[in-house]
Amino acid sequence: MSLTKFNNRNRLFPWNNLDLKSFLGSDDFFNSDFFAEEGLMPAMNVKEHHTDFEIEFAAPGFNKKDFEVTIEDNVLYVSGEKKMEKEEKEDNYTRQEFSYNSFKRSLRLPETVDVSKEIEATYKNGILKLNLLKKEPVKEIPKKVVEIN
């Protein structure tokens, strides 16, 4: 297989993303998290053990009630949503602040996961940990020799 160099001279917009960002970045307002290229996407680890799968999500600053974990059609859906509002009133001014963080991840589960069993979920020190049990291995039926009379 050979590699072909990408020719970007015929693009609709001649400037590249970095030039636009540096232009917009001249004002501190555009450096805020609101204009981040991607939304919050927590780092994830998946470990396979003999009897289960252990999935960890790094989501610091959330509470247990901020998460929703569901399984539908052999797909694991994990989402988190955190809202914060703060209002400060003084004699001649009012100051309001708010923030909103959310994420959604979905993983197709392997056929070896037993979705009918309970999923153990814990949240501690900013890590959401899920344990999904595997199905019991099918025991092989030993070969049976039939005697012919």
Side-chain angles (χ1 to χ4, degrees):
M1 177 197 292
S2 64
L3 297 176
T4 305
K5 185 176 179 181
F6 176 71
N7 181 355
N8 64 3
R9 286 185 293 216
N10 296 325
R11 291 190 307 174
L12 181 60
F13 300 107
W15 59 84
N16 75 22
N17 226 1
L18 294 175
D19 293 337
L20 182 61
K21 281 184 184 176
S22 66
F23 172 73
L24 295 175
S26 62
D27 187 346
D28 286 343
F29 177 75
F30 291 101
N31 289 328
S32 72
D33 289 340
F34 181 78
F35 290 93
E37 205 171 310
E38 295 178 7
L40 173 70
M41 191 58 67
M44 178 179 69
N45 291 326
V46 179
K47 301 174 190 172
E48 182 175 6
H49 303 288
H50 184 67
T51 59
D52 68 342
F53 285 95
E54 182 181 307
I55 304 173
E56 297 174 321
F57 294 92
F62 284 79
N63 293 312
K64 290 190 282 188
K65 63 178 176 55
D66 297 331
F67 296 105
E68 181 178 18
V69 179
T70 58
I71 294 179
E72 184 178 344
D73 296 330
N74 237 27
V75 177
L76 173 70
Y77 296 96
V78 179
S79 62
E81 181 178 64
K82 181 177 112 174
K83 297 177 186 178
M84 188 277 300
E85 292 183 24
K86 180 179 172 184
E87 185 174 338
E88 208 177 291
K89 288 188 178 189
E90 291 291 325
D91 293 336
N92 56 355
Y93 75 91
T94 299
R95 176 182 171 168
Q96 280 188 296
E97 292 184 27
F98 67 93
S99 69
Y100 175 82
N101 290 321
S102 69
F103 72 90
K104 291 181 182 180
R105 301 250 0 212
S106 60
L107 301 163
R108 174 144 316 272
L109 298 174
E111 294 297 322
T112 56
V113 172
D114 190 347
V115 294
S116 67
K117 293 197 177 173
E118 190 71 27
I119 296 174
E120 182 183 327
T122 58
Y123 181 70
K124 185 177 179 182
N125 297 328
I127 304 293
L128 174 64
K129 186 187 290 187
L130 307 173
N131 285 82
L132 294 97
L133 296 174
K134 290 183 177 180
K135 293 178 182 175
E136 294 290 326
V138 178
K139 295 182 181 177
E140 257 186 62
I141 300 172
K143 181 178 174 181
K144 184 175 182 179
V145 178
V146 178
E147 210 174 290
I148 302 174
N149 296 324

